[in-house]
Amino acid sequence: MADAPEDLQYTTDHVWVRPGNGDEVRVGLTAAGVENLGEVVGVTLPEVGDELARGDVAVEIDTDDEAVDVDAPVSGQVVAVNQVIVDAVSALVSDPYGDGWLIAVELGDPSELDDLLDVDGYESLTESS
């Protein structure tokens, strides 16, 4: 499994957040999170312009067994979705920290980033589970 990048922030639910330009962040699923899913067969993304509150279901990932909800790690407006993974879901598995990103969000409350884990906190979590 790929090591978690140091420049990202994480949730306990294996979601990563990459700060970008201004208050825009990119959101994806960690390698450990993808591995836990099993075989991914599809992804349902929100619409650009949708408003998300932290904890809302942001993305639905379909596996060969079930549909898995990915909760929004931060509140804000969806400003981009990764159409690549809708067309080729394999990018989610092969490159979860790069081409496999899910959505980009314009933060509603940048202080919510303070509640996320750094790489050390996330790796401690994944090592203990």
Side-chain angles (χ1 to χ4, degrees):
M1 174 174 32
D3 288 334
E6 292 186 15
D7 63 328
L8 304 180
Q9 292 175 279
Y10 301 89
T11 72
T12 57
D13 295 328
H14 305 291
V15 175
W16 59 258
V17 175
R18 174 177 287 127
N21 298 329
D23 286 339
E24 185 177 312
V25 297
R26 228 173 226 192
V27 176
L29 202 56
T30 67
V34 171
E35 191 174 281
N36 291 341
L37 292 173
E39 185 175 346
V40 177
V41 296
V43 177
T44 304
L45 300 172
E47 298 287 326
V48 170
D50 284 357
E51 288 287 339
L52 297 173
R54 181 170 54 180
D56 284 355
V57 174
V59 176
E60 185 177 281
I61 298 177
D62 296 314
T63 70
D64 53 356
D65 292 333
E66 62 184 335
V68 177
D69 293 336
V70 177
D71 294 340
V74 292
S75 301
Q77 184 177 44
V78 177
V79 293
V81 296
N82 187 358
Q83 195 60 43
V84 169
I85 62 169
V86 172
D87 300 331
V89 74
S90 60
L92 180 65
V93 177
S94 65
D95 191 11
Y97 300 111
D99 290 340
W101 64 278
L102 300 171
I103 60 175
V105 175
E106 183 76 28
L107 292 172
D109 181 359
S111 70
E112 288 180 345
L113 294 174
D114 298 338
D115 297 332
L116 301 176
L117 300 171
D118 64 11
V119 68
D120 293 333
Y122 179 71
E123 287 181 341
S124 295
L125 172 84
T126 57
E127 289 166 4
S128 65
S129 58

